[in-house]
Every structure is written in structure tokens, then in C-alpha cells.
Amino acid sequence: MVVIRRLYTAALSVGLLASAPFYAARAFRRGTGLALAERLGHWSDETVAAVRGRRPVWVHAVSVGEVLAAEPLLREIKRRYPTLCLLLTTVTATGRRTVIERVPQADAVAYFPLDLPRVAERVLRQANPRLFLCVETEIWPNVLFALATRNVPSFLVNARLTVRSAGRYARARRLFGPALGGMSGFAAQTRADAERFIDIGADPSRVVVTGNLKFDQGLEDPATIEPSRRADLGLGPDEQLWVAGSTHPADETALLQAYGRLADPRLVLLLAPRHLDRLAHVEAAVREHGCEPIRRSTLRAGRVNGGPGRRVIILDALGELASLYTEAAVAFVGGTLARVGGHNLLEPAARAKPVLFGPHTHKCEEIARALLEADAGVRVHSADDLCDQVRRLLGDEPLRKAMGERGRDVVARNRGAVDRTLAMLQPWLG
């Protein structure tokens, strides 16, 4: 195990040194020097002061999706244990912003350290955590070994492992098997996830099926109407909104093609790109398809003479997508026509909206299957499919409402992962 881990560390170090000039230049260009420093374990004085002497619960959520999945768990931890200090780490800048904007329970936020022994030790000396919770599928051998050396319990929560990922980990079982074997527990989303973790080295006695935390996100009243929000979006009284969330380039191409073919002057498309650094590219794609791109922030400021017409609203800030699904007649969730694996299908379902998604849902297959079986979602494969399904749903309001209610029921029936996860963690939290 020691030899394998040393070889892994050496290979990782060589890769990091080779890529250092690129990442340093990017950090200088983007002004993200803080990220680089924190990933090397050099935290700001403010972050160190926030956790000093408080033995925080360290929660790692790699990016936006994992942060949002963990949010209901963190909210309940703070409610039950208000004096506990919560330290959240992410890898991406958007994940960090999401923590700051959406997770007020976090006492401190930092970037996750590189998986190098000295860096991990430096972070652990600064944080001195009582517990480490990693959300979904982040397995870093050196960090886990450093935690075990300090007798800090470590858990995977909302743990999931796709067949593809399980195969990759299995090929490196001599490295990842001992790392998993030293973990204190696994709160798996499904029985299949649990079995895959066991297959690659998790102790079967420490694996519990707790369900998906995303089902515990808030259920909003579908009858709630916010006229001010519709007006704020520049929507006329007869216009309908099609919200496409967490989109990637391949999703956007199909969406814009379908939107053009629908040629319905009452329909307005709202695109919420997964990565906000692509906004200029999204605007260019909208123009190429003969539509007017309008950034959401300019609508808020009242500087757009939008009016009726073939326009596409582009959501250019984090934190609002979930509430905008409430205004949608129909929703599409991205990363599914793009070969990404899918994003949060539950946000529109929880708001009683029919959900469209593509064939690539390996990251959220359980949820996709549940929505399909309940006839609350529709899988599409092309721009033509999108066009046909959106036309069908827009023309049949009773169908839209029935599908939306069935989706909301799917969310309600599967709630409870937060309580089950906390039951597993209680001996270490209490």
C-alpha cells in the first residue's frame, strides 16, 4: 500500500509540475490566486480564524451540484447541532460562490487541497477537524490517509458510483481499496451504488443505503404565482416560458434548433448555462439561430426593450434557477443531450413541472428512471424530439399539470435521506 501510494504521489506531483505554468498563468489572468494558494494548503487568516479551536465538521463538495445536494443535510445539521462549526471546501469557483450564496450554515469556506501528503498535513493542522464528510464520489487517497493517521472519521455521504467510474476505480484497486477500507462509513444513494463501493474496497458493514439527499430539497407550492417575477422577466400575459437549466453546448444547439422550429411567438426560451464563463459563447449561438439574447441581469435593471418576439433570456448569475422553474410551462435539464451525464432533474419536478431530458443520464439514472416510470418526465434524443414534445405539452395544459403533479409526488415519496444520513452520523455529531 505504501509503495503504491508513493508511486501515485510521484505521478501526481510530476503532472502538477508539468501543468503548473498553465495553471499559474490562468490564475493570474482570472485573478484566482486565492484558489491556487488554498489548493496548496495556504489558507487565508480569515479562514484559519473561523475554524481555530472549534474542531469543525469538514464537508467537501466538489462543485455546484454537490453543494446543492448537501445543502439540506447541512441545514439540518446546523438546526440539530447549532454550535458545530461547518467548514466547506470545493474545487471550482462556481462551487465556492454557491456555498457563499446558498449555504449560510457554512462557518468557513475554502478550496480543497491538492492530494499531496504535505499539503494534506498542512490543511489538517490548520483545520483540526472532528469529522470529514465527502459528498458523492470524491476519493483522494493521501487526504484520506492523513485523516486516518489523525483518527479523524471520514464518510462518503450521498455516495454514488456509476458503472463507468466503478470500472476505473477497480483497475486501481490497490490504491483506492485501502483508502476506502479506512473510511468510517458510506451513505449510499442506492443498493447498486452500495454494492459497487463494496466491490472496490469498502467494508460491507460500514455501507448503508440512505437515499438521495436531492429528494429532500424544498417542495414549493405549485399554485404559487409570482406576477412580479413574470413581469421582471419581461413576459407578457399570454407568453409561456420554457426553462432549460444547467446547459452545455450540445444541449444549447438542440434547444435553439427546436425553439426555431416551434416558431411560436408566445414562447420564450430561458437558457441557464452550467458554466457562466461561457456566456459570450451562448449569446453568439443565440444570434446564430436568429434570436435576440437578453441577459437576465439587464432585465432586472429594466434596461431592455424586450417586448414580444423571438428572444432568449440567458441566466447570468447563480442561485436563481430553482425559483425560475416555478415560472416555467415546461422544463429541460441539461447535461443530458450533451454527453455529461445529467444534472438536477428534481428541481423542476419538485415545482410540479414536466421534465424533459436527453439520453445521457448516467449521473442521475435513478431519478430519471423514477420520473419516466411515473410518467412525469420525457426522454428526448434530438432537436426534433424536443420540438415535438414541447409542442405537445404546450398544447395540453391538463397533461402538463398532471405530469407536474406526478413529478412532485415522486419527490415527496422519496424524501428522508437527510434523516437516515444523520442517524448514521449521530454518534460522531452528538
Side-chain angles (χ1 to χ4, degrees), residues 46-66:
E46 179 185 7
T47 301
V48 173
V51 300
R52 183 182 290 122
R54 300 181 66 186
R55 300 293 316 276
V57 175
W58 177 7
V59 182
H60 175 55
V62 61
S63 193
V64 176
E66 291 79 9

Side-chain angles (χ1 to χ4, degrees), residues 63-65 68 92-102 246 272-277 279 296 300 315-324:
S63 193
V64 176
L68 295 178
T92 68
T94 51
R96 182 189 179 94
R97 286 200 300 272
T98 303
V99 172
I100 293 169
E101 295 173 4
R102 295 283 297 272
S246 302
R274 180 70 172 181
H275 302 294
L276 295 183
D277 58 0
L279 289 173
R296 167 68 169 123
R300 275 201 199 93
L315 188 59
D316 55 350
L318 294 172
E320 194 182 12
L321 175 59
S323 61
L324 289 177

Side-chain angles (χ1 to χ4, degrees), residues 1 3 15 43 47 51 77 99 130 138 182 193 230 234 246 265 269 313 336 366 382 385 392:
M1 166 58 184
V3 173
W43 286 359
T47 301
V51 300
I77 287 176
V99 172
R130 72 178 67 210
E138 291 278 291
D193 291 313
R230 285 183 58 85
S246 302
L269 174 62
I313 301 170
T336 56
E366 174 207 7
S382 65
D385 276 357
R392 177 174 74 101

Side-chain angles (χ1 to χ4, degrees), residues 69-272:
E71 191 272 335
L73 176 64
L74 301 178
R75 184 173 61 242
E76 187 63 12
I77 287 176
K78 268 294 191 179
R79 190 188 72 81
R80 297 188 189 186
Y81 309 98
T83 61
L84 276 183
C85 176
L86 288 181
L87 163 66
L88 264 73
T89 57
T90 70
V91 170
T92 68
T94 51
R96 182 189 179 94
R97 286 200 300 272
T98 303
V99 172
I100 293 169
E101 295 173 4
R102 295 283 297 272
V103 188
Q105 296 83 10
D107 296 283
V109 58
Y111 285 102
F112 190 75
L114 296 172
D115 194 33
L116 298 172
R118 289 186 179 179
V119 176
E121 283 296 332
R122 185 180 299 128
V123 165
L124 288 176
R125 283 196 303 271
Q126 294 175 113
N128 191 24
R130 72 178 67 210
L131 186 65
F132 176 69
L133 306 180
C134 189
V135 182
E136 297 200 356
T137 325
E138 291 278 291
I139 304 170
W140 296 108
N142 283 322
V143 170
L144 291 173
F145 177 77
L147 288 162
T149 300
R150 286 174 169 261
N151 295 315
V152 177
S154 57
F155 293 82
L156 271 180
V157 297
N158 212 42
R160 67 176 178 84
L161 194 62
T162 65
V163 173
R164 187 183 308 174
S165 295
R168 288 198 294 265
Y169 284 122
R171 287 192 291 273
R173 186 187 175 99
R174 291 180 66 188
L175 173 65
F176 291 103
L180 291 171
M183 296 191 74
S184 305
F186 301 80
Q189 293 186 18
T190 69
R191 173 53 55 190
D193 291 313
E195 290 171 354
R196 290 179 197 128
F197 278 110
I198 292 169
D199 288 343
I200 63 170
D203 183 339
S205 68
R206 299 177 184 177
V207 181
V208 179
V209 178
T210 54
N212 193 330
L213 292 173
K214 291 181 180 178
F215 283 108
D216 283 27
Q217 293 170 343
L219 286 172
E220 294 190 355
D221 182 356
T224 299
I225 300 172
E226 302 179 24
S228 60
R229 186 176 293 275
R230 285 183 58 85
D232 195 30
L233 290 169
L235 297 174
D238 296 326
E239 288 185 316
Q240 293 177 302
L241 185 66
W242 176 13
V243 175
S246 302
T247 59
H248 296 259
D251 301 310
E252 290 150 10
T253 297
L255 287 159
L256 290 168
Q257 288 174 350
Y259 186 51
R261 292 170 192 171
L262 284 164
D264 184 345
R266 298 170 302 165
L267 181 63
V268 177
L269 174 62
L270 186 146
L271 293 176

